[in-house]
């Protein structure tokens, strides 16, 4: 098939949509974040990429902590709102019922099936964004989100994003067992 050059402003396909939380001036604030990834195995580190003027970043710097919450598809409107409105102009502290873990200053969202509390370990400054590296100190999942002791993505039902068409999606069908299904190809290499 013929390849089309699509330029270089290309997004990862797809991205999980998360709600990153911090305490800004002692109030919880949440923003939508899709530019997020795990970046280290041990200790468990993740990175979130925040465009420079984000209000949430102020709280991360104040407390050196933040949370990452995974909303379900059923939370699409509240999640999108957290990506439209800035805490600088709109008080987002009452949007969700919040709980706290060991860190005490990383507000987590009760209605999200999965939440992580993170300790800030580093900031990498890039031209338009700052990469906040956090150590995951604890993860909290709804007890109904498991199948045979493991988190089940169908039960979490996470929200996914594609850009530049700016659309939300849900997870599709199961395909196969990772680190396993490819073994059949060994004889071919
Ligand atoms: C689906 C979605 C994903 C987003 N992902 C990011 C992101 O990864 N990084 C970022 O800086 N802003 C992202 N935004 C924009 C922020 O969420 C938005 O600017 C928000 O109002 C910032 O809130 P705050 O100023 O209260 O921190 C996203 C917005 C949406 C709707």
């Amino acid at each position: 098939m013929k390849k089309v050059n699509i330029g270089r402003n290309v997004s990862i396909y797809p991205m999980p949509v998360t709600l990153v939380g911090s305490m800004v001036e002692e109030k919880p604030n949440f923003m939508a974040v899709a530019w997020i990834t795990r970046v280290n195995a041990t200790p468990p580190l993740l990175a979130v990429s925040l465009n420079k003027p984000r209000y949430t970043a102020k709280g991360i710097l104040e407390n050196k902590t933040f949370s990452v919450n995974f909303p379900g598809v059923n939370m699409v409107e509240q999640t999108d709102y957290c990506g439209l409105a800035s805490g600088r102009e709109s008080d987002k502290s009452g949007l969700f019922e919040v709980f706290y873990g060991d860190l005490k200053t990383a507000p987590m969202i009760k209605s999200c099936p999965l939440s992580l509390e993170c300790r800030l370990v580093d900031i990498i400054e890039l031209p338009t964004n700052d990469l906040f590296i956090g150590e995951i100190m604890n993860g909290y999942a709804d007890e109904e989100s498991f199948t045979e002791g493991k988190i089940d993505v169908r039960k979490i039902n996470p929200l996914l994003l594609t850009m530049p068409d700016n659309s939300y999606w849900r997870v599709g069908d199961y395909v196969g067992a990772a680190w396993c299904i490819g073994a059949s190809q060994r004889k071919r290499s």
Side-chain angles (χ1 to χ4, degrees), residues 1-10 13:
M1 195 176 291
K2 191 169 180 282
K3 296 286 181 191
V4 176
N5 184 337
I6 59 167
R8 58 191 201 136
N9 187 17
V10 179
Y13 277 92

Side-chain angles (χ1 to χ4, degrees), residues 48-176:
V48 295
S49 174
L50 305 192
N51 204 286
K52 302 258 186 215
R54 303 302 187 224
Y55 190 65
T56 307
K58 191 170 141 68
I60 301 178
L61 295 170
E62 267 173 38
N63 299 293
K64 310 279 181 281
T65 57
F66 61 95
S67 68
V68 177
N69 304 272
F70 292 78
V73 164
N74 61 327
M75 292 177 66
V76 64
E77 286 175 14
Q78 287 163 299
T79 303
D80 195 59
Y81 176 70
C82 289
L84 289 169
S86 173
R88 214 168 262 116
E89 293 98 34
S90 316
D91 184 353
K92 295 185 263 183
S93 64
L95 275 180
F96 305 105
E97 205 177 329
V98 161
F99 71 101
Y100 297 87
D102 292 345
L103 294 180
K104 310 291 183 213
T105 52
M108 290 177 278
I109 300 174
K110 274 198 181 162
S111 53
C112 285
L114 176 64
S115 298
L116 314 175
E117 56 173 342
C118 302
R119 179 181 74 86
L120 180 68
V121 294
D122 206 355
I123 301 173
I124 299 172
E125 293 193 29
L126 300 171
T128 59
N129 288 42
D130 289 332
L131 208 55
F132 288 81
I133 315 278
E135 178 173 356
I136 303 169
M137 303 308 287
N138 287 296
Y140 302 89
D142 283 352
E143 56 184 11
E144 305 88 61
S145 303
F146 295 82
T147 297
E148 289 171 7
K150 291 184 184 141
I151 287 184
D152 184 332
V153 74
R154 287 164 298 196
K155 292 180 178 168
I156 298 272
N157 203 9
L159 198 57
L160 306 176
L161 173 75
T162 52
M163 289 169 72
D165 59 335
N166 296 352
S167 302
Y168 293 117
W169 303 89
R170 64 176 79 236
V171 167
D173 296 333
Y174 177 78
V175 175

